[in-house]
Amino acid sequence: MIPVKENFTQIDELPGEEIEFGIGDPRWMMRSAAKLYSDITTAIIREYSTNAHDANIMAGNSDPIQVTLPSAMNPVFVVEDKGVGMSIDDFRNIYTQFGNSDKRELKDANGLMGFGSKSGVAYTTSFQVTSVKDGIKTHGIVMRKPDWAIVLKVVATSKTTETNGTRIEIPVHNVDEFIHKAHEFYKFWLPGRVNLTNGTVEHHAGKKIVDGLYFAQGWNTSYVVMGNVPYRINNPSALFYNTKMNAINFVAYVGGAEVEFTPSREDLEYSDKT
C-alpha cells in the first residue's frame, strides 16, 4: 500500500544546523506502540492475517491464508502463509525493527507502517514465529521482557525442502472471545482469501446492492473495507453531504490506497484523500 505523498514548505536553503529526531530508549517506543489498539484481540487477528495475505501476494500466490482458531484443548491462534518467507537478515533488518517495512511501494499490499508484525507483544509476553526462505527454516520466539525490551530469540535453524512461508503462533487468553472476534473480522473477507482448519468463514457484509457495495441493515456502523481490513465510519458527515447516506449503514469495498487510516487501523483518517 503506497503511502500518500505530502507537500512541504521547502526550508532546506535556510542556514543552520539540522538535528534529526531519533529514538532514545526504544523500550518506551515499543510500550507506546503497544497501546495503539483499543481492541487488542481484534488487532492481533487483523495484523497477522493481513500480513499473511500480503506475503502470498508478494510471492504471486493466490491461495488463501490458513488459519487455526484456538480451542479449549489448544488455546493457540495460528496463521500460516505460503509467501516469500523470511531469512535471518529479514528478521534482523525488517521484522524486529519498528517502522521498517518492505511493502511501502506495493499497491496491493496492506502493510506499510512496520508496527503490525510486533503487535503480538501487546497481547502476550511471548509468541512463536517460524519461517522458511530459500531452503532455510528459522524458528524463533518473540519475547517481551518486564522492562518492555522486546527480543527475537532464534532457537533453531535448519535446511529444509519445505516451500517458502511463515507461521505465527500466539497463545490465547480468552478462547470464546477470540473465536467470536475472529468470525466478526473474517466476515468482511471476500470468499477464497482465508481457510479455517477448524471452522468455516461466512462472508456476511449485508445485502449486495452492486459489486463492492452492501446494505448493512440492522448494523450500527458503516465500514469501508480496503486490503481485507474494515475501517469504521465514525464521522459520516465528513464523507457525505447527502443526509440520506448518513442515515443508512453500508459496507463498501475499495481498492488499494484509496483511503487513509489511523495508525491503529481501527478507523478512517478524514483527510482530503479519504
Side-chain angles (χ1 to χ4, degrees):
M1 190 172 295
I2 302 173
V4 177
K5 301 295 189 296
E6 298 186 58
N7 295 321
F8 293 94
T9 303
Q10 295 298 320
I11 59 171
D12 290 344
E13 66 276 8
L14 295 177
E17 178 188 3
E18 283 191 350
I19 303 174
E20 184 175 356
F21 282 72
I23 298 175
D25 187 340
R27 293 171 297 181
W28 284 99
M29 173 65 181
M30 295 170 188
R31 188 168 187 167
S32 298
K35 303 298 184 181
L36 282 174
Y37 310 106
S38 64
D39 182 352
I40 186 56
T41 300
T42 299
I44 293 302
I45 299 164
R46 176 180 63 246
E47 299 295 348
Y48 291 104
S49 297
T50 54
N51 279 353
H53 184 70
D54 285 351
N56 279 356
I57 290 175
M58 294 171 71
N61 180 2
S62 60
D63 291 341
I65 65 171
Q66 192 69 38
V67 172
T68 302
L69 295 180
S71 66
M73 297 298 293
N74 185 32
V76 179
F77 174 58
V78 182
V79 180
E80 299 178 81
D81 65 65
K82 295 300 180 184
V84 293
M86 291 182 287
S87 65
I88 287 290
D89 285 342
D90 293 327
F91 278 119
R92 185 176 292 115
N93 298 323
I94 298 175
Y95 190 81
T96 58
Q97 303 300 306
F98 277 88
N100 281 2
S101 174
D102 57 357
K103 297 183 281 189
R104 290 199 176 109
E105 300 304 318
L106 300 177
K107 183 177 180 180
D108 294 332
N110 190 70
L112 60 86
M113 293 182 290
F115 289 160
S117 62
K118 295 83 172 170
S119 60
V121 296
Y123 179 81
T124 183
T125 57
S126 67
F127 64 93
Q128 298 183 51
V129 53
T130 304
S131 197
V132 175
K133 185 169 186 177
D134 301 334
I136 301 297
K137 185 175 187 177
T138 304
H139 178 66
I141 300 176
V142 178
M143 297 180 290
R144 168 165 55 88
K145 297 186 176 182
D147 64 353
W148 274 89
I150 301 171
V151 299
L152 170 66
K153 183 78 170 182
V154 178
V155 296
T157 58
S158 60
K159 293 184 178 180
T160 182
T161 58
E162 296 178 42
T163 57
N164 289 351
T166 299
R167 175 184 173 99
I168 303 292
E169 301 172 69
I170 298 178
V172 170
H173 310 317
N174 186 322
V175 170
D176 291 339
E177 177 198 39
F178 203 99
I179 292 174
H180 171 73
K181 290 189 174 182
H183 283 286
E184 284 296 298
F185 175 71
Y186 292 130
K187 74 181 182 182
F188 291 98
W189 284 46
L190 296 174
R193 294 190 175 183
V194 56
N195 278 341
L196 297 184
T197 60
N198 50 353
T200 57
V201 173
E202 179 184 359
H203 178 247
H204 180 64
K207 182 179 179 180
K208 184 176 179 180
I209 301 173
V210 295
D211 287 346
L213 183 63
Y214 297 79
F215 172 47
Q217 186 175 12
W219 290 28
N220 295 322
T221 306
S222 294
Y223 294 87
V224 167
V225 182
M226 183 174 70
N228 299 316
V229 177
Y231 297 101
R232 301 173 297 201
I233 299 178
N234 288 331
N235 186 14
S237 61
L239 298 180
F240 308 111
Y241 298 105
N242 186 328
T243 56
K244 292 182 180 179
M245 287 297 293
N246 296 338
I248 66 172
N249 291 312
F250 61 90
V251 178
Y253 287 78
V254 300
E258 291 186 356
V259 296
E260 293 183 292
F261 45 83
T262 61
S264 67
R265 296 189 184 278
E266 293 173 342
D267 294 292
L268 291 175
E269 180 180 310
Y270 293 96
S271 64
D272 290 342
K273 180 178 178 58
T274 300

